[in-house]
Coordinates of all heavy atoms in Angstrom, one line a residue:
L6 N 0.8 -1.1 0.0 CA 0.0 0.0 0.0 C 0.9 1.2 0.0 O 1.8 1.3 0.8 CB -0.8 -0.1 1.3 CG -2.1 0.8 1.2 CD1 -3.0 0.5 0.2 CD2 -2.9 0.6 2.6
T7 N 0.7 2.1 -1.0 CA 1.4 3.4 -1.1 C 0.7 4.7 -0.8 O 1.2 5.7 -0.7 CB 2.2 3.4 -2.4 OG1 1.2 3.5 -3.4 CG2 3.1 2.3 -2.5
K8 N -0.6 4.5 -0.9 CA -1.4 5.8 -0.7 C -2.7 5.5 0.1 O -3.4 4.5 -0.1 CB -2.0 6.3 -2.1 CG -2.8 7.4 -2.0 CD -3.2 7.9 -3.4 CE -4.1 9.2 -3.3 NZ -4.4 9.6 -4.7
I9 N -2.9 6.4 1.2 CA -4.1 6.2 2.0 C -4.7 7.6 2.2 O -4.0 8.6 2.5 CB -3.7 5.6 3.4 CG1 -3.0 4.3 3.2 CG2 -4.9 5.6 4.3 CD1 -2.6 3.6 4.6
E10 N -6.0 7.7 2.1 CA -6.7 8.9 2.3 C -7.8 8.6 3.4 O -8.7 7.8 3.3 CB -7.5 9.3 1.0 CG -6.6 9.7 -0.2 CD -7.1 10.2 -1.5 OE1 -8.4 10.2 -1.4 OE2 -6.5 10.3 -2.5
L11 N -7.6 9.4 4.4 CA -8.5 9.3 5.6 C -9.0 10.6 6.0 O -9.3 11.0 7.2 CB -7.7 8.7 6.7 CG -7.1 7.3 6.5 CD1 -6.0 7.0 7.6 CD2 -8.2 6.3 6.6
E12 N -9.4 11.5 5.1 CA -9.8 12.8 5.3 C -11.2 12.7 6.2 O -12.1 12.0 6.0 CB -10.2 13.6 4.0 CG -9.0 13.8 3.2 CD -8.7 12.8 2.2 OE1 -9.4 11.7 2.1 OE2 -7.9 13.1 1.3
Q13 N -11.2 13.7 7.1 CA -12.4 13.9 8.0 C -12.8 12.7 8.8 O -14.0 12.5 9.2 CB -13.6 14.3 7.1 CG -13.3 15.7 6.4 CD -13.0 16.8 7.2 OE1 -13.6 17.0 8.3 NE2 -12.1 17.7 6.9
C14 N -11.9 11.8 9.1 CA -12.2 10.7 10.0 C -12.0 11.2 11.4 O -10.9 11.1 12.0 CB -11.3 9.5 9.8 SG -11.5 8.7 8.1
L15 N -13.1 11.8 11.9 CA -13.0 12.6 13.1 C -12.6 11.8 14.3 O -12.3 12.4 15.4 CB -14.4 13.3 13.3 CG -14.7 14.2 12.2 CD1 -16.1 15.0 12.5 CD2 -13.7 15.2 11.9
H16 N -12.8 10.5 14.4 CA -12.6 9.7 15.6 C -11.2 8.9 15.4 O -10.9 8.2 16.3 CB -13.7 8.7 15.8 CG -14.9 9.4 16.0 ND1 -15.3 10.1 17.2 CD2 -16.1 9.5 15.2 CE1 -16.4 10.6 17.1 NE2 -16.9 10.3 15.9
L17 N -10.5 9.1 14.4 CA -9.2 8.5 14.1 C -8.2 9.1 15.3 O -8.1 10.2 15.6 CB -8.6 9.0 12.8 CG -7.7 8.0 12.1 CD1 -8.3 6.7 11.9 CD2 -7.2 8.5 10.9
T18 N -7.4 8.1 15.8 CA -6.4 8.4 16.9 C -5.0 8.2 16.4 O -4.8 7.6 15.4 CB -6.8 7.6 18.2 OG1 -6.4 6.2 17.8 CG2 -8.2 7.8 18.6
D19 N -4.1 8.6 17.3 CA -2.7 8.3 17.0 C -2.4 6.9 16.9 O -1.6 6.5 16.1 CB -1.8 8.9 18.2 CG -1.8 10.5 18.3 OD1 -2.1 11.1 17.3 OD2 -1.5 10.9 19.4
A20 N -3.2 6.1 17.7 CA -2.9 4.6 17.7 C -3.2 4.1 16.3 O -2.4 3.2 15.7 CB -3.7 3.9 18.7
A21 N -4.1 4.5 15.6 CA -4.6 4.1 14.3 C -3.5 4.5 13.2 O -3.0 3.6 12.4 CB -5.9 4.6 13.8
I22 N -3.1 5.6 13.3 CA -2.0 6.2 12.3 C -0.7 5.5 12.6 O 0.1 5.1 11.6 CB -1.9 7.6 12.4 CG1 -3.1 8.2 12.0 CG2 -0.8 8.2 11.6 CD1 -3.7 7.9 10.5
T23 N -0.3 5.1 13.9 CA 0.9 4.5 14.2 C 0.8 3.1 13.6 O 1.8 2.5 13.1 CB 1.1 4.5 15.7 OG1 1.2 5.8 16.1 CG2 2.3 3.7 16.2
A24 N -0.3 2.4 13.8 CA -0.5 1.0 13.1 C -0.4 1.1 11.6 O 0.3 0.2 11.1 CB -1.9 0.5 13.6
V25 N -0.9 2.1 11.0 CA -0.7 2.2 9.6 C 0.7 2.4 9.2 O 1.2 1.7 8.3 CB -1.6 3.5 9.0 CG1 -1.1 3.8 7.7 CG2 -3.0 3.2 9.1
A26 N 1.5 3.2 9.9 CA 2.8 3.4 9.7 C 3.7 2.1 9.9 O 4.5 1.7 9.1 CB 3.5 4.5 10.6
D27 N 3.3 1.4 10.9 CA 4.0 0.0 11.2 C 3.7 -0.9 10.0 O 4.6 -1.7 9.7 CB 3.4 -0.6 12.5 CG 4.0 0.2 13.6 OD1 5.0 0.8 13.6 OD2 3.3 0.0 14.8
K28 N 2.5 -1.0 9.5 CA 2.2 -1.9 8.5 C 2.4 -1.5 7.1 O 2.3 -2.4 6.2 CB 0.6 -2.2 8.7 CG 0.2 -2.7 10.0 CD 0.5 -4.2 10.2 CE 0.0 -4.6 11.5 NZ 0.4 -6.0 11.9
C29 N 2.7 -0.2 6.9 CA 2.8 0.3 5.5 C 4.1 1.0 5.4 O 4.1 2.3 5.1 CB 1.7 1.1 5.1 SG 0.0 0.4 5.2
P30 N 5.2 0.4 5.4 CA 6.5 1.1 5.3 C 6.8 1.8 3.9 O 7.7 2.7 3.8 CB 7.6 0.1 5.7 CG 6.9 -1.2 5.3 CD 5.4 -1.1 5.6
N31 N 6.1 1.4 2.9 CA 6.2 1.9 1.6 C 5.3 3.0 1.3 O 5.2 3.5 0.1 CB 6.1 0.8 0.6 CG 7.2 -0.2 0.6 OD1 8.4 0.1 1.0 ND2 6.9 -1.4 0.5
L32 N 4.6 3.5 2.3 CA 3.6 4.6 2.2 C 4.3 5.8 1.6 O 5.4 6.3 2.1 CB 3.0 5.0 3.5 CG 1.8 5.8 3.5 CD1 0.7 5.1 2.8 CD2 1.4 6.1 4.9
A33 N 3.6 6.3 0.5 CA 4.2 7.5 -0.2 C 3.4 8.7 0.0 O 3.7 9.8 -0.1 CB 4.4 7.2 -1.7
E34 N 2.0 8.4 0.1 CA 1.0 9.4 0.2 C 0.0 9.2 1.3 O -0.5 8.2 1.4 CB 0.2 9.6 -1.1 CG 1.0 10.0 -2.3 CD 0.2 10.1 -3.6 OE1 -1.0 10.5 -3.6 OE2 0.7 9.6 -4.7
L35 N -0.1 10.3 2.2 CA -1.0 10.1 3.3 C -1.9 11.4 3.4 O -1.3 12.5 3.5 CB -0.3 9.9 4.6 CG -1.2 9.8 5.9 CD1 -2.1 8.6 5.8 CD2 -0.3 9.6 7.0
S36 N -3.2 11.2 3.5 CA -3.9 12.4 3.8 C -4.8 12.1 5.0 O -5.7 11.2 5.1 CB -4.9 12.8 2.6 OG -5.6 13.9 2.8
V37 N -4.7 13.0 6.0 CA -5.5 12.9 7.2 C -6.1 14.3 7.5 O -6.3 14.7 8.7 CB -4.6 12.4 8.4 CG1 -4.3 10.9 8.3 CG2 -3.3 13.3 8.6
D38 N -6.3 15.0 6.4 CA -6.9 16.3 6.7 C -8.2 16.3 7.5 O -9.0 15.5 7.3 CB -7.0 17.2 5.5 CG -8.3 17.0 4.6 OD1 -9.3 17.1 5.2 OD2 -8.1 16.6 3.5
G39 N -8.3 17.1 8.5 CA -9.4 17.2 9.4 C -9.5 16.2 10.5 O -10.5 16.2 11.2
C40 N -8.5 15.5 10.6 CA -8.5 14.4 11.6 C -7.9 15.1 12.9 O -6.7 15.1 13.2 CB -7.7 13.2 11.3 SG -8.3 12.3 9.9
D41 N -8.8 15.9 13.6 CA -8.3 16.8 14.5 C -7.9 16.2 15.9 O -7.5 16.9 16.9 CB -9.3 17.9 14.8 CG -10.7 17.4 15.2 OD1 -10.9 16.3 15.3 OD2 -11.7 18.2 15.4
K42 N -8.0 15.0 16.0 CA -7.6 14.3 17.3 C -6.1 13.9 17.2 O -5.4 13.4 18.2 CB -8.4 13.0 17.6 CG -9.8 13.4 18.1 CD -10.5 12.2 18.6 CE -11.8 12.8 19.2 NZ -13.0 12.2 18.9
L43 N -5.5 13.9 16.0 CA -4.1 13.4 15.8 C -3.1 14.4 16.5 O -3.4 15.6 16.5 CB -3.8 13.2 14.4 CG -4.7 12.2 13.6 CD1 -4.2 12.2 12.1 CD2 -4.5 10.9 14.3
T44 N -2.1 13.8 17.0 CA -1.1 14.7 17.7 C 0.3 14.5 17.0 O 0.4 13.6 16.0 CB -1.0 14.4 19.1 OG1 -0.3 13.1 19.3 CG2 -2.3 14.5 19.8
D45 N 1.3 15.0 17.5 CA 2.7 14.8 17.1 C 3.1 13.3 17.0 O 3.8 12.9 16.3 CB 3.7 15.5 17.8 CG 3.6 17.1 17.8 OD1 2.9 17.6 16.8 OD2 4.1 17.8 18.6
A46 N 2.5 12.6 18.0 CA 2.9 11.1 18.1 C 2.5 10.4 16.8 O 3.4 9.6 16.3 CB 2.2 10.4 19.3
A47 N 1.4 10.7 16.2 CA 1.0 10.1 14.9 C 2.0 10.4 13.9 O 2.4 9.5 13.1 CB -0.4 10.4 14.6
I48 N 2.3 11.7 13.6 CA 3.0 12.1 12.6 C 4.5 11.7 12.6 O 5.1 11.3 11.8 CB 2.9 13.6 12.3 CG1 1.4 14.0 12.1 CG2 3.8 14.2 11.2 CD1 0.7 13.2 11.0
T49 N 5.0 11.7 14.0 CA 6.4 11.2 14.2 C 6.5 9.7 13.9 O 7.6 9.3 13.4 CB 6.8 11.5 15.7 OG1 6.7 13.0 15.9 CG2 8.1 11.1 16.0
A50 N 5.4 8.9 14.2 CA 5.5 7.5 13.9 C 5.5 7.4 12.3 O 6.3 6.5 11.8 CB 4.2 6.9 14.4
V51 N 4.8 8.2 11.6 CA 4.9 8.1 10.2 C 6.2 8.4 9.7 O 6.9 7.8 8.8 CB 3.7 9.0 9.5 CG1 4.0 9.2 8.0 CG2 2.4 8.5 9.8
A52 N 6.8 9.5 10.2 CA 8.2 9.9 9.9 C 9.2 8.8 10.2 O 10.1 8.5 9.3 CB 8.5 11.2 10.6
D53 N 9.1 8.1 11.3 CA 9.9 7.1 11.7 C 9.8 5.8 10.8 O 10.9 5.2 10.5 CB 9.7 6.7 13.1 CG 10.2 7.7 14.2 OD1 11.0 8.6 13.8 OD2 9.7 7.8 15.3
K54 N 8.6 5.5 10.4 CA 8.4 4.2 9.8 C 8.2 4.3 8.3 O 8.2 3.3 7.6 CB 7.1 3.6 10.3 CG 7.2 3.4 11.9 CD 8.1 2.3 12.3 CE 8.0 2.2 13.7 NZ 8.5 0.8 14.2
C55 N 8.0 5.5 7.7 CA 7.7 5.6 6.3 C 8.7 6.6 5.7 O 8.2 7.7 5.2 CB 6.3 6.1 6.1 SG 5.1 5.0 6.9
P56 N 9.9 6.2 5.5 CA 10.9 7.1 4.9 C 10.6 7.4 3.4 O 11.2 8.5 3.0 CB 12.1 6.3 5.0 CG 11.7 4.8 5.0 CD 10.4 4.8 5.7
N57 N 9.8 6.8 2.7 CA 9.5 7.1 1.3 C 8.4 8.0 1.1 O 8.0 8.3 0.0 CB 9.2 5.8 0.5 CG 10.4 4.9 0.5 OD1 11.5 5.2 0.3 ND2 10.1 3.6 0.7
L58 N 7.9 8.5 2.3 CA 6.7 9.6 2.2 C 7.0 10.8 1.2 O 8.1 11.3 1.4 CB 6.4 10.0 3.6 CG 5.1 10.7 3.8 CD1 3.8 9.8 3.5 CD2 4.9 11.3 5.1
A59 N 6.1 10.9 0.3 CA 6.4 12.0 -0.6 C 5.3 13.1 -0.5 O 5.6 14.3 -0.8 CB 6.4 11.5 -2.1
E60 N 4.1 12.8 -0.1 CA 3.0 13.7 0.1 C 2.2 13.5 1.4 O 2.0 12.3 1.8 CB 2.0 13.6 -1.1 CG 2.6 13.9 -2.4 CD 1.5 13.8 -3.6 OE1 0.2 13.9 -3.2 OE2 1.9 13.5 -4.6
L61 N 2.0 14.6 2.1 CA 1.4 14.5 3.4 C 0.5 15.7 3.6 O 0.8 16.8 3.3 CB 2.3 14.4 4.5 CG 1.7 14.3 5.9 CD1 0.8 13.1 6.2 CD2 2.7 14.6 7.1
D62 N -0.8 15.4 3.8 CA -1.9 16.4 4.1 C -2.3 16.3 5.5 O -2.9 15.3 5.8 CB -3.1 16.2 3.1 CG -4.1 17.3 3.2 OD1 -4.0 18.2 4.1 OD2 -5.1 17.2 2.5
V63 N -2.1 17.3 6.3 CA -2.5 17.3 7.8 C -3.3 18.6 7.9 O -3.4 19.2 9.0 CB -1.3 17.3 8.7 CG1 -0.6 15.9 8.6 CG2 -0.2 18.3 8.4
Y64 N -3.9 19.0 6.9 CA -4.8 20.2 6.9 C -5.7 20.2 8.1 O -6.5 19.2 8.3 CB -5.6 20.2 5.6 CG -6.6 21.3 5.3 CD1 -6.2 22.4 4.6 CD2 -7.9 21.0 5.6 CE1 -7.1 23.3 4.3 CE2 -8.9 22.1 5.2 CZ -8.5 23.1 4.6 OH -9.4 24.2 4.3
F65 N -5.8 21.2 8.8 CA -6.6 21.4 10.1 C -6.4 20.2 11.1 O -7.4 19.9 11.8 CB -8.1 21.5 9.7 CG -8.4 23.0 9.3 CD1 -8.5 23.3 7.9 CD2 -8.5 24.0 10.2 CE1 -8.8 24.6 7.5 CE2 -8.7 25.2 9.8 CZ -8.9 25.6 8.5
C66 N -5.2 19.8 11.2 CA -4.9 18.9 12.4 C -4.4 19.8 13.5 O -3.1 20.0 13.5 CB -3.9 17.7 11.9 SG -4.6 16.5 10.8
F67 N -5.3 20.3 14.2 CA -4.9 21.4 15.2 C -3.9 21.0 16.2 O -3.2 22.0 16.7 CB -6.3 21.8 15.9 CG -7.4 22.2 15.1 CD1 -8.5 21.4 14.9 CD2 -7.3 23.3 14.3 CE1 -9.6 21.8 14.2 CE2 -8.3 23.8 13.4 CZ -9.5 23.0 13.4
N68 N -3.7 19.8 16.6 CA -2.9 19.5 17.7 C -1.4 19.3 17.4 O -0.5 19.1 18.2 CB -3.4 18.2 18.3 CG -4.7 18.4 19.0 OD1 -5.0 19.4 19.7 ND2 -5.6 17.5 18.8
L69 N -1.1 19.4 16.1 CA 0.3 19.3 15.6 C 1.2 20.5 16.0 O 0.7 21.6 15.9 CB 0.4 19.0 14.1 CG -0.4 17.8 13.6 CD1 -0.1 17.7 12.1 CD2 0.1 16.5 14.3
T70 N 2.4 20.2 16.3 CA 3.3 21.3 16.7 C 4.6 21.1 15.8 O 4.7 20.3 15.0 CB 3.7 21.2 18.2 OG1 4.6 20.0 18.3 CG2 2.5 21.1 19.1
D71 N 5.5 22.0 16.1 CA 6.8 22.0 15.4 C 7.4 20.7 15.5 O 8.2 20.4 14.5 CB 7.7 23.2 15.9 CG 7.1 24.6 15.7 OD1 6.2 24.7 14.9 OD2 7.6 25.5 16.5
A72 N 7.3 20.0 16.5 CA 8.1 18.7 16.6 C 7.6 17.7 15.5 O 8.5 17.0 15.0 CB 7.7 18.1 18.0
A73 N 6.3 17.7 15.1 CA 6.0 16.7 14.0 C 6.6 17.1 12.7 O 7.0 16.2 11.9 CB 4.4 16.8 13.9
I74 N 6.7 18.4 12.4 CA 7.2 19.0 11.2 C 8.7 18.6 11.2 O 9.3 18.3 10.1 CB 6.9 20.4 10.9 CG1 5.3 20.6 11.0 CG2 7.4 20.9 9.6 CD1 4.4 19.6 10.2
T75 N 9.4 18.9 12.3 CA 10.8 18.7 12.3 C 11.1 17.1 12.2 O 12.1 16.8 11.4 CB 11.3 19.1 13.7 OG1 11.0 20.5 13.9 CG2 12.8 19.0 13.9
A76 N 10.2 16.3 12.6 CA 10.5 14.8 12.5 C 10.4 14.5 11.1 O 11.2 13.7 10.5 CB 9.5 14.0 13.3
L77 N 9.4 15.1 10.3 CA 9.3 14.8 8.9 C 10.4 15.4 8.1 O 10.9 14.6 7.2 CB 8.0 15.6 8.3 CG 6.6 14.9 8.8 CD1 5.5 15.9 8.6 CD2 6.4 13.6 8.2
A78 N 11.0 16.6 8.5 CA 12.1 17.1 7.7 C 13.3 16.3 7.9 O 14.1 16.1 7.0 CB 12.3 18.6 8.2
D79 N 13.5 15.7 9.2 CA 14.6 14.9 9.5 C 14.6 13.6 8.8 O 15.7 13.0 8.5 CB 14.8 14.8 11.0 CG 15.2 16.2 11.6 OD1 15.7 17.1 10.9 OD2 15.1 16.2 12.8
K80 N 13.4 12.9 8.8 CA 13.4 11.6 8.4 C 12.7 11.1 7.1 O 12.7 10.0 6.7 CB 12.6 10.8 9.5 CG 13.4 11.0 10.8 CD 12.7 10.3 12.0 CE 13.7 10.5 13.2 NZ 13.0 9.8 14.4
C81 N 12.2 12.1 6.4 CA 11.4 11.8 5.1 C 12.1 12.7 3.9 O 11.5 13.8 3.6 CB 10.0 12.1 5.3 SG 9.2 11.2 6.4
P82 N 13.2 12.3 3.5 CA 13.9 13.1 2.5 C 13.2 13.2 1.2 O 13.5 14.1 0.3 CB 15.3 12.3 2.3 CG 14.9 11.0 2.7 CD 13.9 11.0 3.8
N83 N 12.2 12.4 0.9 CA 11.5 12.4 -0.3 C 10.2 13.2 -0.3 O 9.5 13.4 -1.3 CB 11.2 11.0 -0.8 CG 12.3 10.2 -1.1 OD1 13.3 10.6 -1.6 ND2 12.2 8.9 -0.7
L84 N 9.9 13.8 0.9 CA 8.7 14.6 1.0 C 8.8 15.8 0.1 O 9.6 16.8 0.2 CB 8.6 15.1 2.5 CG 7.3 15.7 2.9 CD1 6.2 14.6 2.8 CD2 7.3 16.1 4.4
A85 N 7.9 15.9 -0.8 CA 7.8 17.0 -1.7 C 6.6 17.8 -1.6 O 6.6 19.0 -2.0 CB 7.8 16.4 -3.2
E86 N 5.6 17.4 -1.0 CA 4.3 18.1 -0.8 C 3.8 17.9 0.7 O 3.8 16.8 1.2 CB 3.2 17.7 -1.7 CG 3.5 18.1 -3.2 CD 2.4 17.7 -4.0 OE1 1.1 17.8 -3.6 OE2 2.6 17.3 -5.2
L87 N 3.6 19.0 1.4 CA 3.1 19.0 2.7 C 2.2 20.1 2.9 O 2.5 21.3 2.7 CB 4.3 19.2 3.7 CG 3.9 19.4 5.2 CD1 3.4 18.2 5.7 CD2 5.3 19.7 5.9
D88 N 0.9 19.8 3.3 CA -0.2 20.8 3.4 C -0.4 20.9 5.0 O -0.9 20.0 5.6 CB -1.4 20.4 2.8 CG -2.5 21.5 2.8 OD1 -2.4 22.5 3.7 OD2 -3.5 21.4 2.1
V89 N 0.0 21.9 5.5 CA -0.3 22.2 7.0 C -1.3 23.4 7.2 O -1.3 24.0 8.3 CB 1.1 22.5 7.7 CG1 2.0 21.3 7.7 CG2 1.8 23.7 7.1
S90 N -2.0 23.6 6.3 CA -3.1 24.7 6.3 C -4.0 24.5 7.7 O -4.3 23.3 7.8 CB -4.0 24.7 5.1 OG -3.3 24.8 4.0
G91 N -4.1 25.5 8.4 CA -5.0 25.4 9.6 C -4.3 24.8 10.8 O -5.0 24.6 11.8
C92 N -3.0 24.4 10.7 CA -2.4 23.9 11.8 C -1.9 25.1 12.7 O -0.8 25.5 12.5 CB -1.3 23.0 11.4 SG -1.8 21.5 10.6
S93 N -2.7 25.5 13.5 CA -2.5 26.8 14.2 C -1.4 26.8 15.3 O -1.0 27.9 15.7 CB -3.8 27.4 14.7 OG -4.3 26.5 15.7
N94 N -0.9 25.6 15.6 CA 0.2 25.6 16.6 C 1.6 25.7 16.1 O 2.5 25.7 16.8 CB 0.0 24.3 17.5 CG -1.1 24.3 18.4 OD1 -1.4 25.4 19.0 ND2 -1.8 23.2 18.6
L95 N 1.6 25.6 14.7 CA 3.0 25.7 14.1 C 3.6 27.1 14.1 O 2.8 28.0 14.1 CB 2.9 25.2 12.6 CG 2.4 23.9 12.4 CD1 2.5 23.5 10.9 CD2 3.2 22.8 13.2
T96 N 4.9 27.2 14.3 CA 5.6 28.5 14.4 C 6.6 28.5 13.3 O 6.8 27.5 12.5 CB 6.2 28.6 15.7 OG1 7.3 27.7 15.9 CG2 5.2 28.4 16.9
D97 N 7.4 29.5 13.2 CA 8.4 29.7 12.3 C 9.5 28.6 12.5 O 10.1 28.2 11.4 CB 9.1 31.1 12.4 CG 8.3 32.3 12.0 OD1 7.3 32.0 11.5 OD2 8.7 33.4 12.3
A98 N 9.6 28.1 13.6 CA 10.6 27.0 13.9 C 10.3 25.9 13.1 O 11.3 25.0 12.7 CB 10.7 26.7 15.4
A99 N 9.1 25.5 12.8 CA 8.8 24.3 12.0 C 9.2 24.5 10.5 O 9.5 23.5 9.8 CB 7.3 24.0 11.9
I100 N 9.4 25.7 10.0 CA 9.6 26.0 8.6 C 11.1 26.3 8.4 O 11.6 26.0 7.3 CB 8.7 27.2 8.2 CG1 7.3 27.0 8.5 CG2 8.9 27.5 6.8 CD1 6.7 25.8 7.9
T101 N 11.8 26.7 9.4 CA 13.2 27.2 9.2 C 14.1 26.0 9.5 O 13.8 25.0 10.1 CB 13.5 28.3 9.9 OG1 13.2 28.2 11.4 CG2 12.7 29.5 9.5

């Protein structure tokens, strides 16, 4: 499996995304836009387990912080598209 779209799955938790990351190491595209229960733990798990990730949409995942974006930058060298629209906890530190 290389692409998963889980937009607006409002009850999705970090545990579910961590399990996806564990089972899908070849994941290249992931969309969890509007999954507002997700935290840095979920995105860090994806960064740790899915080094081929090229596209990630975390649109309106309100709980994400700079730590999640830093993990992606450090561990996903193929990441070409990242949508963080509406992630209001991010600061300049996530981008620089």
Side-chain angles (χ1 to χ4, degrees):
L6 197 58
T7 60
K8 180 178 180 177
I9 301 176
E10 295 182 4
L11 298 166
E12 294 95 349
Q13 301 299 320
C14 293
L15 301 178
H16 301 290
L17 205 63
T18 65
D19 290 342
I22 297 303
T23 299
V25 166
D27 286 339
K28 303 281 185 190
C29 302
N31 295 319
L32 194 63
E34 297 178 39
L35 177 62
S36 180
V37 291
D38 83 57
C40 298
D41 59 1
K42 290 188 169 136
L43 298 182
T44 70
D45 292 342
I48 302 309
T49 300
V51 170
D53 287 341
K54 305 285 183 163
C55 304
N57 297 320
L58 193 68
E60 295 180 27
L61 178 63
D62 180 358
V63 291
Y64 181 90
F65 281 103
C66 290
F67 302 114
N68 295 314
L69 299 185
T70 70
D71 297 343
I74 306 309
T75 300
L77 291 165
D79 290 344
K80 297 178 180 176
C81 297
N83 297 322
L84 191 62
E86 293 183 34
L87 175 63
D88 186 349
V89 294
S90 303
C92 295
S93 56
N94 288 324
L95 299 183
T96 70
D97 291 349
I100 307 302
T101 55

